[in-house]
Amino acid sequence: MKTIHTKLAPDAIGPYSQGVIVNNMFYSSGQIPLTAEGELLNGTVEEQTHQVFKNLNAVLTEAGASFETVVKATVFIKNMEDFPLINEVYGQYFDTHKPARSCVEVARLPKDVLVEIEVIALVK
């Protein structure tokens, strides 16, 4: 197992890592809309979702993976009414490549953010 860490994504804020590689699979921790410096992006759900994808891109790149190698995404949202807005942004990152996905509404997310996404990807 190899632990992934990049300064281009926020540091883990607890006893976990940004992600791990096991064999040829990368498992990310859930990414929330924190900047790489650890500052919370308090914006619209679309702005928060773009920041989450910026963080995912950083950890995927560090792991030797990419959005094109993601096989499964899990999306956690605070309000299912935001799903169409989140889905619009999501589709900008997964346009031609469409991994399996789950999306669930949750009662609360870390730092009261609106969206959190984790991915599983093949390492190139």
Side-chain angles (χ1 to χ4, degrees):
M1 183 172 80
K2 178 182 177 189
T3 301
I4 296 302
H5 180 265
T6 176
K7 291 289 185 193
L8 299 177
D11 283 331
I13 53 175
Y16 62 91
S17 62
Q18 292 171 334
V20 296
I21 297 171
V22 178
N23 297 327
N24 65 333
M25 299 298 294
F26 171 66
Y27 300 85
S28 82
S29 289
Q31 292 294 320
I32 63 173
L34 294 176
T35 65
E37 297 76 33
E39 298 296 319
L40 182 61
L41 186 136
N42 283 315
T44 65
V45 71
E46 296 97 331
E47 291 168 330
Q48 287 195 15
T49 305
H50 278 295
Q51 182 63 50
V52 166
F53 273 99
K54 183 176 180 181
N55 296 342
L56 287 170
N57 185 56
V59 295
L60 283 163
T61 299
E62 184 68 21
S66 70
F67 290 125
E68 290 295 313
T69 67
V70 171
V71 295
K72 175 75 164 70
T74 305
V75 182
F76 304 94
I77 61 177
K78 185 174 182 178
N79 185 343
M80 195 56 79
E81 291 181 14
D82 288 337
F83 178 77
L85 301 171
I86 293 167
N87 201 47
E88 170 98 17
V89 174
Y90 183 97
Q92 294 173 32
Y93 296 89
F94 294 114
D95 180 28
T96 56
H97 172 66
K98 294 175 174 49
R101 176 179 76 183
S102 299
C103 180
V104 294
E105 179 182 83
V106 295
R108 197 163 178 207
L109 289 164
K111 299 190 176 281
D112 291 317
V113 300
L114 303 175
V115 60
E116 178 176 0
I117 302 173
E118 64 184 29
V119 296
I120 301 169
L122 287 167
V123 175
K124 298 175 190 171

